[in-house]
Amino acid sequence: MPFNRPTQVVAPDVGNSTVGAGAFLAELRASWGEPDWFLAGTSMEKRGEIPARFSSSDYLIIYGNIAQHAATPDFFIDYALAGVPLFKGGIDLGMQTAPDLRSAFELVDRYSSPRLPFLRHAKVEYGGRVGIELVANGDLGPGRSIICEVPLLVFARLAGRYLGRPPHEAVIELRHSPKGYRDRYSNAAGCEVRYQAERDAITLPEELCRRQSMTFDADLWRTACYRCEEEAQQKHSDGFLLTLRSQAARFLAENGRPPRLNELAKQGNISSRTLLRRLRSQNETYQAITDALLRTRCVELLSQPNLNVTEVSERLGFADPSSFYRSFRRWFDTTPNAFRKGLQGGDLNGRDQG
């Protein structure tokens, strides 16, 4: 069925940022029958595959495509109703066990180096109300409606759990015009939703935000705060390696092979010598980074029964199958065919028999 190709979206200025939503979006695309429009305009369109991590620009294009072409662009409401978390780790635990909504909002504001590098969650207070405002770092494109509606709905559902009833006093504000599913959205949120507003936010009366949550657990809350601080420190110390691995993953997705040393250094605007020196200071090597990247991608490809081993080798950028076999043996101490049988049979060791 013909469709209007999307206008190329220029992601906000967040460097070579990537997002890790590949598994979710690949499953969503498959559930809709892999329509042509889903990846249209992205760097993944030609390959027809969604890697585990990919660029922020592609993420915005995909959600723009969904908003414009999907028969059910309100799919995310089902996920919110099912309680799918917005964050992971300490932040998610803290949101579930905080003493009150104000504390939960402060936790999110402080620790949510956001899943989406172009959208910040900021605690706000005005007019006797407290809440969370979504602050975009640039133009989110036609997918901004979904990108903003999802977290605000999750926060509304969270408020309902804290209060033990629908959060009727809450107000969700959205900059965009109402969509066809506006009634379903407001029913799921359990509160008033205002469109064409000055901000994207959810707020509640300050008195309610200070009321003790029905789900408060003092021990788990302390654990959550500790985990958040620990995770924040880990992210700071690992920032260089995380960025490097993300850049390498993006290069593999876009070029069908891992980056060479000089290409990876160029991604970070440093020399190859500086890159090697910084890797040594982190007890890491270029070979280990590319091996880890290829191992993960290799397992993803071997799990697809329509691809033979030679095709998997080619998609990983190996010059010939024999080089791939040698690397695979080094990674997994078995052969690709034996490993694939292990995947199919549930034995991930996949050892050769005899």
Side-chain angles (χ1 to χ4, degrees), residues 1-6 29-30 32-42 44-46 48 61-62 65-66 69-70:
M1 186 174 181
F3 62 92
N4 294 324
R5 295 189 62 78
R29 176 175 174 245
W32 287 344
E34 300 190 350
D36 292 339
W37 53 259
F38 199 97
L39 296 178
T42 70
M44 301 170 277
E45 181 177 10
K46 186 176 180 180
I61 292 172
I62 287 175
N65 291 341
I66 291 174
H69 303 296

Side-chain angles (χ1 to χ4, degrees), residues 102 125 128-130 204-211:
R102 171 183 280 275
E125 297 186 51
R129 301 179 71 85
V130 179
L204 295 96
E206 184 174 3
E207 182 274 326
L208 285 183
C209 291
R210 293 185 179 277
R211 184 179 299 179

